[in-house]
Amino acid sequence: AMAAVPVAVLEGHDAAVWDAAWHPQQPLLATSGADRTVRLWAPEGDAWHCVRILDGGHARTVRAVSWSPCGRFLATASFDSTICIWDRTDDYECTATLEGHDNEVKHCQWSASGSLLATCGRDKSVWIWEVDDDGEFECLAVLNEHSQDVKRLAWHPKLDVLASASYDNKIKLYREDADDWIPSDTLDGHDSTVWGIAFDAAGEMLASCSDDRTVKIWRSYAPNNTRGVQTNGVDPKWKCVSTLSGYHDRPIYDIAWSHSTGILATAGGDNKLCFFQKNLESSDDEPSFEVVATVIQAHTQDINSVAWSHADPSLAASVSDDGLVKLWRVTAA
Amino acid sequence: RSRAPVEPRMALENAAPSVVGKAASRPWAPEDEDDSIADAFDAREIFDLVRNINDPEHPLSLEELKVVRLEHCEVDDKACTVRVMFTPTIPHCSMATLIGLSIRVRLLRALPPRFKVDVLINPGTHASEAAVNKQLADKERVAAALENSHLLEVVNQCLSIKAA
């Protein structure tokens, strides 16, 4: 068994905190929320402190934050319909503002290569932007595959393959095709809004969490696979291989899959954090997951996001409507 | 260029709704005066919070229009849950989302944040019941709607106390 032990409670946001993202190399956490600010937190001595507040960039709630893989740029997505790009090497100057979405931007995410940024929102669209060496952004594609607002994005850890999750209960996958971006699969199985999606380290599995209070595990089956799973031409087929239910009794707002330890963390509207691990004896075609740790009342209100540290793989952050950011040490008990 | 999820319409859809009288004020009990006694929230308190909300198109309260009723207000103080079911006056009422949003905002503002609030359409009383319920349950859409100044003004009108 494992335990999730509280390490720090970070106070500073004046209202609900919506998202958290760890710097790819350093012990540095970015959080954002309804107070329209982004806060950066880092350890100094024994304690964690707010080391920087980025304000003035957004006129409404900052819904999401994402670090570029090199750690130089921070992208922030806001209900004000824009995405801001902040340059760490230029004292966090806001070096670009991406406009184009009709209204609320709900998420933004850098690709593994760092050359692409995906954004999505209430206008039901997913945008793919290319970043050149001078930090200029060009929109490569606007994808209108969902019938409702798009809540969350996840890039494949190795390939230029993007996943999006929506209020329409579906997950869509996209890949590059010549000079265009095309939808390559639809993952249909949740009974309500899909709030969060996360790939595993290998990019063979995808975990999703939903308003329907379940987590689903999807596995990629390549064309001509030995299991007899029908595929979509040259594209792999993603099939639901496991459903985890009964762990949260309110909507599950976020899911994070540690690429170091393999532990899957979920955050819910029931104020609870759950940590799951795949039973190593179970097959990839029928994986079983067990809860290795739970924190009931991890916050006093809904938990909106959970994120694993890259610099310190047993450390996770959670953020809540209660205005707090909390850090958890998840280790063998 | 922001988009409001509900747009008020000007023509009355239900020109002659049926109306009931208002419930009497809650009677005071002796222990109400005693600050040392912690009172759990009860259904009547939830009802009292929502019954005076103004209907968006009639000069009447949600109680008078029978949109909210005491028997459709539930609270579990220990479990920190509140559930209010409301009954649109007609099954195609385009105001259902706005009414539900007003009920939700009233409860969010008045209740301690420990409560989980569900606002739902009374089953079988609206043509778009599932869609309205899903919209009202989506905290992200509700949060975004309340940052829309036009919509917030409409909600605040529903929640304003009318001069006697």
Side-chain angles (χ1 to χ4, degrees), chain B residues 128-147:
Chain B
S128 308
E129 179 183 328
V132 174
N133 285 346
K134 187 172 186 177
Q135 174 114 318
L136 290 172
D138 186 316
K139 63 180 283 184
E140 191 182 54
R141 284 194 179 191
V142 169
L146 296 179
E147 288 186 358

Side-chain angles (χ1 to χ4, degrees), chain A residues 41-57:
Chain A
W41 312 84
E44 286 175 351
D46 290 340
W48 284 75
H49 295 282
C50 179
V51 295
R52 193 65 200 258
I53 299 173
L54 310 182
D55 54 9

Side-chain angles (χ1 to χ4, degrees), chain A residues 297-309:
Chain A
Q297 293 295 329
H299 286 265
T300 59
Q301 295 182 55
D302 293 4
I303 308 175
N304 296 317
S305 180
V306 60
W308 288 106
S309 164

Side-chain angles (χ1 to χ4, degrees), chain B residues 64-80:
Chain B
E64 290 169 302
L65 289 165
K66 295 184 286 187
V67 173
V68 294
R69 306 169 197 202
L70 177 58
E71 64 267 32
H72 291 156
C73 296
E74 296 170 24
V75 58
D76 184 333
D77 193 271
K78 274 213 179 76
C80 300

